[in-house]
Each structure stands twice: as C-alpha cells, then as structure tokens.
Amino acid sequence: MESTVERISSSVQSWVKDHELAAIGGVWAAAVGASVAYSRRKAPQRGTGLRLIHARMHAQALTLAVLGGAALFHCYGDSGRRKRADDIDLDFYSQLPPATDADGNENQRWSW
C-alpha cells in the first residue's frame, strides 16, 4: 500500500510532466520573490531597482538550471515513453511512388 508521501510525490511529478512551462514559471516567480525578500532583509539600504535587478539575475540563473535539468530528464530520464524503431509508423513511405519502374528505369517523379 502506498504511503501518503508517495502518492503526493507521484501526483506532483505527473502534474509537472503535464505542465512543464507552468512549473518553470512558478520556480522563476518563487525565486524572484525569495531573492527580493532575502535582499530586503540582509541589505535594507539597497534601492528597490537594484534589488529587482539582483532578484532577476538570481531567478534567471535558477531558471537556466531548471531548464537544463528538464532537458536532461527529457533526453535521458524518460526512456520508457520513447518510440522504438519498430513502433514508428512507416505508412508515409508506402504512399511514395517507386524510384524505378519494373524495367529498372528511373521514375520521372524522382529525377531532377
């Protein structure tokens, strides 16, 4: 029987798979908010503009890291969803005319 933590974890993972861009945007917004709050607490003498610039840079770095992780997961982590070579529908190629006719002459549609 699954524990509550495992069910929540699997539901969060499925939501993130379905809403990748929204999750990345949420991470970016949370990073901006956390960076502004941290900057306001640690350096109250900084101006608001400077705080926002630093917050955007921190959020941008975190977003790039998240995008890199998502790309790695997409390429290497989810191999179960990938199509195998024998699963690919080759029906498109059956619609093309043959390159040569029965006598071995080149088909006019394939010549330049």
Side-chain angles (χ1 to χ4, degrees):
M1 193 165 151
E2 274 187 305
S3 70
T4 306
V5 174
E6 289 174 349
R7 279 188 305 196
I8 291 172
S9 175
S10 66
S11 67
V12 167
Q13 285 177 352
S14 67
W15 185 87
V16 168
K17 279 184 186 178
D18 295 339
H19 303 91
E20 290 174 348
L21 292 180
I24 291 169
V27 167
W28 181 85
V32 167
S35 181
V36 167
Y38 179 78
S39 174
R40 191 171 189 174
R41 184 170 175 236
K42 289 292 183 182
Q45 71 277 8
R46 281 189 187 156
T48 305
L50 188 59
R51 277 191 206 130
L52 289 175
I53 289 170
H54 284 203
R56 184 193 58 84
M57 287 182 0
H58 295 146
Q60 190 172 5
L62 181 64
T63 303
L64 286 174
V66 169
L67 282 172
L72 287 173
F73 178 77
H74 182 74
C75 290
Y76 299 112
D78 204 16
S79 61
R81 283 191 341 187
R82 288 193 187 171
K83 286 189 171 186
R84 305 278 191 263
D86 48 334
D87 293 340
I88 296 174
D89 182 24
L90 299 176
D91 205 21
F92 168 76
Y93 295 107
S94 67
Q95 303 297 322
L96 294 174
T100 58
D101 59 11
D103 297 333
N105 299 324
E106 186 175 322
N107 190 336
Q108 293 297 319
R109 295 180 72 182
W110 286 100
S111 61
W112 296 93

